[in-house]
């Protein structure tokens, strides 16, 4: 649906949203939009909440943690390049970010966690690049690095 339809045919747009629950609106001069119903948004929030709680409960038990660790390569095939400690750290980051989605409605953290860990795996998959990025800098001291 085009952005101009919102003003030209607002009643038809509203009817379409009510039937479809979510409508993609394209714009020429900005990022595309999605129109949704309140009910659909509440259902998405509930889905995120249930998923977050289920994931956290799973890793809270030895059997559940093993099940998650066995499932991870199917969902994230690139984790094979991470060490066992890095995989555990990734799972903790993933659970925390999933909680942020459910509790804070912050989706960017989950996206960032996945992108950053995938980038780490990409570096580790290339032995030459990994060696280059992990070797000590020669005679270069740029001073203390401050926390962001």
């Amino acid at each position: 649906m085009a952005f101009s339809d919102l003003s030209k045919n607002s009643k038809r747009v509203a009817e379409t949203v009510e039937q479809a629950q979510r409508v993609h609106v394209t714009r020429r001069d900005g990022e595309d939009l999605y129109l949704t119903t309140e009910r659909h948004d509440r259902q998405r929030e509930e889905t995120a909440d249930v998923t977050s709680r289920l994931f956290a409960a799973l890793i809270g038990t030895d059997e559940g943690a093993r099940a998650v660790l066995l499932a991870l390569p199917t969902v994230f095939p690139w984790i094979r390049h991470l060490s066992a400690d890095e995989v555990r750290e990734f799972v903790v980051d993933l659970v925390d970010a999933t909680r942020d989605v459910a509790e804070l409605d912050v989706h960017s953290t989950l996206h960032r966690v996945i992108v950053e860990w995938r980038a780490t795996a990409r570096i580790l998959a290339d032995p030459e690049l990994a060696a280059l990025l992990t070797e000590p800098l020669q005679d270069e001291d740029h001073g203390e690095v401050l926390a962001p």
Side-chain angles (χ1 to χ4, degrees):
M1 174 172 298
F3 186 72
S4 59
D5 288 337
L6 292 175
S7 60
K8 292 179 186 174
N9 303 305
S10 60
K11 185 175 180 177
R12 185 177 61 82
V13 170
E15 289 169 355
T16 302
V17 172
E18 285 177 6
Q19 287 177 339
Q21 295 187 34
R22 187 171 188 235
V23 174
H24 181 210
V25 179
T26 56
R27 297 187 326 165
R28 285 181 278 161
D29 58 349
E31 188 174 1
D32 287 359
L33 306 173
Y34 282 94
L35 295 178
T36 188
T37 62
E38 181 183 5
R39 178 177 36 125
H40 183 69
D41 194 52
R42 275 194 321 269
Q43 289 170 346
R44 288 171 56 96
E45 287 175 3
E46 183 178 2
T47 299
D49 184 52
V50 168
T51 303
S52 165
R53 291 175 190 274
L54 181 61
F55 200 25
L58 277 170
I59 68 158
T61 67
D62 289 342
E63 289 177 2
R66 274 193 295 278
V68 169
L69 289 173
L70 289 172
L72 279 178
T74 302
V75 180
F76 305 105
W78 43 262
I79 68 160
R80 70 183 182 279
H81 298 289
L82 303 177
S83 70
D85 286 341
E86 289 166 330
V87 170
R88 282 191 287 281
E89 189 177 344
F90 170 59
V91 169
V92 169
D93 289 351
L94 197 60
V95 170
D96 288 345
T98 304
R99 285 182 178 148
D100 286 349
V101 171
E103 295 173 12
L104 305 173
D105 197 25
V106 174
H107 298 256
S108 59
T109 305
L110 179 59
H111 175 73
R112 182 180 45 78
V113 163
I114 294 168
V115 167
E116 288 175 356
W117 277 107
R118 185 184 309 130
T120 299
R122 186 176 295 123
I123 291 167
L124 295 173
D126 182 341
E128 290 177 23
L129 181 58
L132 179 67
L133 293 175
T134 56
E135 71 183 23
L137 298 174
Q138 296 184 3
D139 300 326
E140 291 187 35
D141 184 356
H142 298 282
E144 183 180 350
V145 176
L146 301 175

